[in-house]
């Protein structure tokens, strides 16, 4: 399954053939919510958006570990709650809620196994995705590859044949 998101159009292909996608506006918004919450957030890139508003910074202690928690609003997207290691500054967790076919879905991404990565970043190598508290996916990153730039065409659907 391949998907391209170039808002406002969402195209999903299976084996190179466009696949009808039900509930398009809602599905498109949820895919965009997840792309930000699950894939772009480890780089904390969404916080650099000019529309980003960071608020409600808190320092808490959990199991003798200091954590910094903040909320990030990005316009049309849900509010994302980000939890950072208070000492190392690593992003540990992202939480947000979205709606699928009238049902609320709470997504929690847990990031761990932080190691040096390209361009001087320290990034997580283990991701865990939970929906409403249940683990639905676990990923292990073998290698981070950060290109110098990403051309706009990378986000465009393939040309029709």
């Amino acid at each position: 399954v391949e998907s391209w998101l170039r808002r406002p159009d969402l195209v999903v292909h299976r084996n190179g053939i466009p696949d009808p996608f039900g509930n398009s506006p809602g599905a498109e918004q949820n895919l965009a919510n997840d792309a930000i919450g699950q894939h772009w957030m480890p780089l904390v890139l969404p916080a650099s958006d000019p529309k980003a508003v960071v608020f409600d910074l808190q320092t808490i202690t959990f199991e003798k570990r200091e954590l910094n928690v903040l909320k990030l609003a990005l316009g049309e997207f849900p509010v994302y709650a980000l939890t950072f290691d208070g000492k190392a500054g690593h992003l540990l967790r992202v939480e947000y809620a979205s709606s699928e076919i009238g049902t609320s879905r709470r997504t929690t991404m847990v990031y761990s196994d932080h190691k040096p990565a390209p361009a001087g970043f320290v990034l997580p190598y283990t991701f865990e995705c939970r929906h409403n508290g249940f683990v639905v996916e676990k990923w292990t990153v073998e290698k981070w590859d950060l290109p110098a730039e990403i051309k706009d065409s990378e986000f465009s659907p393939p040309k029709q044949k």
Side-chain angles (χ1 to χ4, degrees):
V1 174
E2 299 175 72
S3 64
W4 289 268
L5 181 66
R6 176 113 186 165
R7 305 202 61 193
D9 299 314
L10 170 66
V11 179
V12 174
H13 285 224
R14 294 181 197 279
N15 300 321
I17 300 168
D19 191 26
F21 206 70
N23 189 25
S24 289
E28 176 205 339
Q29 184 63 52
N30 285 332
L31 181 62
N33 297 346
D34 290 342
I36 289 171
Q38 297 175 18
H39 304 290
W40 289 109
M41 211 56 87
L43 298 170
V44 196
L45 190 63
S48 68
D49 186 309
K51 295 181 282 185
V53 177
V54 175
F55 64 101
D56 200 19
L57 175 62
Q58 300 176 35
T59 300
I60 62 171
T61 302
F62 180 74
E63 296 181 356
K64 299 182 183 181
R65 185 177 188 183
E66 186 177 294
L67 303 172
N68 296 318
V69 182
L70 60 85
K71 293 183 180 168
L72 175 64
L74 298 166
E76 69 194 79
F77 299 97
V79 172
Y80 296 90
L82 284 68
T83 303
F84 294 88
D85 181 292
K87 193 172 187 178
H90 301 146
L91 180 63
L92 302 176
R93 186 180 187 106
V94 173
E95 298 174 81
Y96 59 97
S98 54
S99 178
E100 278 192 29
I101 312 170
T103 303
S104 180
R105 180 189 79 189
R106 184 111 188 117
T107 299
T108 303
M109 291 298 298
V110 178
Y111 303 107
S112 58
D113 194 23
H114 293 77
K115 300 176 191 172
F121 288 106
V122 174
L123 296 173
Y125 279 72
T126 303
F127 294 38
E128 181 179 281
C129 180
R130 300 174 187 166
H131 289 168
N132 296 327
F134 295 97
V135 175
V136 294
E137 296 177 47
K138 286 186 178 182
W139 313 325
T140 300
V141 176
E142 293 176 5
K143 176 185 172 190
W144 281 95
D145 187 13
L146 305 175
E149 70 173 304
I150 301 174
K151 296 177 183 171
D152 284 343
S153 61
E154 291 292 323
F155 298 97
S156 297
K159 291 185 168 85
Q160 297 294 325
K161 296 178 183 179

